[in-house]
Amino acid sequence: MNITKDHTFVHSTFLQTATGKGIAGACVWAAIFITCHQIYQYLRYYTNPAEQRWIVRILFIVPVYAFESWLSLLFFSYDNYYVYFNAVRDCYEAFVIYNFLSLCYEYLGGEGNIMSEIRGKPIKSDWATGSFCLVGQSYNIGFLRFCKQGTLQFCIIKPLMSFIVIILQFSNLYHDGDWSPADGYIYTTIIYNLSISIALYALFLFYFATKDLLRPYDPVLKFFTIKSVIFLSYWQGFLLAILEKMELINPITSDDGVTQTKSGTVSAGYQNFLICIEMFFASIALRYAFPISVYIGQGCQGADGVGRSVTMQSISSSLRETMNPRDIMTDAIHNFHPQYQQYTQYSSNGNKQGHSRNGSYEGVETEPAPPSTAHTAKPKPAQPTLKVTTTQTKNGKDTEKTLLLSSEDEFQ
């Protein structure tokens, strides 16, 4: 029996009292205001789109998480409605993980520049960083490919699992915290945990491989803030679901004594309430992790001395460009297509100061194309002026193809 508006829980749980809703609402709207102002500043001082597009995408996690959790609390009286709201949050969660890794790539000048710094260096075996299984190996293009693939697979699996959860919910085969083999919760949880573990492992490997290169960009605060929002919020919900299964969190009965909440509803309610509170602190942390002052410099000030002259139309155009997800598809093709597995992608400008997202591959020459299609250009045979070399392993098998380009041709 579904819960309707006639069955309220105002006297049954703090979550539905005016105080509970007021605290959650105040934190949510404060977090949204703080983050949206920060996003506006990034769009106004849009001086380095190549980096700022990733940052704006990351910042949107606060409004998405906060507003979705607040809506779930408002619709607490409608049993399991939170599942549908959470699907939106889950999809954006995967999007943010990919964007954070892409931002790190951009900081370091792209895949080609990263490879020029770490290629051939031995991978330090360490149980703490999870690199013990890579003992005796050195950094190559396959390592970077795994890091990207590890995050991209989460971008694919997480939305897919959210869609499956909605279908199972419609079929009454999904209930949060129900570990029965006949229920879909246990299977979706296992798949999700496996996928997010791979994504987190890939991020850790990349960070420990490039932490010295990333040090000028203060990666620790950025990494910790984003991972806290995504991973700690998940494990927080996971723990609440276990507590409810252990009957430490009990179902509640409506004020009229007619209806009782279903499995997972109460723990999800507490989870959403905590996220509303946490997003306020996350919005403050993100202001320090991604300060706009980095991008306010020469060429930004207008006649009034407070910023460049912009219109709402230009800000809207920058926002549309920033939120366009086509780059995920082209990046997925580059990282998963067998044709590109042994090629290194170079930024067309060769440094992080340029704003172009066009690219060419080490070993692959591409036609001039818009940013959305440059990564999927079909490889052409090497021209006579290009020299191709192959790095071999001890057993003689080819492991990496390298194209040596003259300085005037390298980034064309």
Side-chain angles (χ1 to χ4, degrees):
M1 179 177 180
N2 291 329
I3 299 174
T4 66
K5 288 184 177 179
D6 297 328
H7 304 296
T8 60
F9 297 87
V10 174
H11 302 292
S12 304
T13 176
F14 172 77
L15 300 175
Q16 290 296 284
T17 62
T19 302
K21 290 182 178 180
I23 294 175
C27 290
V28 164
W29 289 107
I32 291 176
F33 175 80
I34 293 172
T35 305
C36 286
H37 178 260
Q38 186 179 8
I39 291 172
Y40 167 77
Q41 287 182 309
Y42 267 95
L43 296 176
R44 182 176 186 181
Y45 299 102
Y46 207 52
T47 57
N48 191 344
E51 291 180 6
Q52 289 174 263
R53 63 184 302 192
W54 308 113
I55 297 175
V56 170
R57 290 177 176 182
I58 292 170
L59 293 178
F60 264 107
I61 192 174
V62 169
V64 170
Y65 263 53
F67 191 68
E68 178 276 330
S69 298
W70 188 59
L71 280 180
S72 297
L73 283 179
L74 294 181
F75 286 88
F76 183 85
S77 296
Y78 294 80
D79 208 15
N80 290 338
Y81 269 36
Y82 67 89
V83 172
Y84 309 113
F85 295 125
N86 286 357
V88 178
R89 184 180 73 189
D90 292 343
C91 292
Y92 202 81
E93 170 187 299
F95 189 51
V96 166
I97 293 177
Y98 162 78
N99 281 284
F100 179 68
L101 181 61
S102 297
L103 175 63
C104 292
Y105 268 60
E106 192 62 44
Y107 279 151
L108 301 180
E111 188 176 88
N113 281 4
I114 297 173
M115 282 309 306
S116 66
E117 294 289 342
I118 69 173
R119 177 186 279 113
K121 294 182 179 179
I123 300 177
K124 296 180 181 179
S125 178
D126 190 345
W127 284 88
T129 61
S131 58
F132 59 90
C133 58
L134 302 176
V135 60
Q137 300 188 38
S138 59
Y139 293 114
N140 56 25
I141 188 59
F143 173 83
L144 285 187
R145 194 71 68 242
F146 170 78
C147 293
K148 265 296 181 72
Q149 290 174 346
T151 55
L152 283 168
Q153 60 83 24
F154 188 59
C155 290
I156 298 171
I157 292 178
K158 186 57 179 176
L160 179 61
M161 296 308 300
S162 298
F163 180 71
I164 292 175
V165 165
I166 291 176
I167 294 177
L168 293 175
Q169 178 70 27
F170 270 119
S171 305
N172 199 32
L173 294 175
Y174 180 88
H175 303 89
D176 264 347
D178 189 343
W179 300 92
S180 170
D183 193 85
Y185 176 77
I186 185 173
Y187 304 108
T188 57
T189 299
I190 291 174
I191 295 174
Y192 176 84
N193 278 318
L194 180 60
S195 179
I196 200 172
S197 296
I198 294 174
L200 182 60
Y201 179 61
L203 285 173
F204 269 113
L205 285 180
F206 178 81
Y207 170 73
F208 286 108
T210 60
K211 61 180 180 180
D212 292 333
L213 302 174
L214 286 170
R215 186 172 287 116
Y217 306 98
D218 194 17
V220 176
L221 180 58
K222 295 178 174 64
F223 188 85
F224 177 78
T225 303
I226 295 172
K227 297 304 165 278
S228 296
V229 172
I230 295 176
F231 295 103
L232 294 185
S233 64
Y234 168 74
W235 288 110
Q236 175 180 271
F238 187 73
L239 176 61
L240 288 171
I242 292 178
L243 292 177
E244 186 169 23
K245 182 63 177 180
M246 297 171 61
E247 298 184 351
L248 296 176
I249 298 178
N250 298 314
I252 56 177
T253 304
S254 59
D255 297 334
D256 56 13
V258 174
T259 309
Q260 193 176 58
T261 57
K262 292 183 179 180
S263 174
T265 300
V266 181
S267 61
Y270 283 113
Q271 163 76 337
N272 288 315
F273 177 80
L274 291 173
I275 289 178
C276 289
I277 308 299
E278 292 161 355
M279 286 304 102
F280 172 71
F281 297 100
S283 65
I284 297 175
L286 286 171
R287 288 189 73 90
Y288 287 98
F290 298 98
I292 186 59
S293 58
V294 175
Y295 301 99
I296 301 178
Q298 292 183 351
C300 295
Q301 291 190 342
D304 56 359
V306 296
R308 64 173 181 152
S309 178
V310 294
T311 63
M312 289 306 297
Q313 182 178 3
S314 64
I315 291 177
S316 176
S317 176
S318 297
L319 182 61
R320 286 197 302 270
E321 174 194 348
T322 297
M323 300 306 293
N324 191 330
R326 287 182 301 175
D327 54 304
I328 294 183
M329 299 303 299
T330 56
D331 211 12
I333 292 174
H334 167 63
N335 283 278
F336 285 105
H337 198 288
Q339 192 174 25
Y340 297 110
Q341 288 303 298
Q342 299 301 323
Y343 290 113
T344 302
Q345 179 185 357
Y346 275 99
S347 173
S348 59
N349 45 41
N351 60 62
K352 72 181 187 68
Q353 295 176 351
H355 295 171
S356 174
R357 301 295 297 176
N358 293 337
S360 59
Y361 299 102
E362 182 181 18
V364 181
E365 186 181 67
T366 59
E367 294 289 335
S372 61
T373 59
H375 292 204
T376 58
K378 189 175 181 179
K380 289 185 174 183
Q383 299 297 323
T385 57
L386 305 182
K387 180 181 178 182
V388 180
T389 61
T390 302
T391 303
Q392 296 183 337
T393 59
K394 294 180 180 179
N395 57 12
K397 294 183 179 179
D398 294 347
T399 59
E400 187 173 343
K401 297 178 182 177
T402 303
L403 179 62
L404 304 180
L405 302 172
S406 61
S407 59
E408 64 271 18
D409 294 332
E410 186 171 1
F411 298 111
Q412 290 182 359

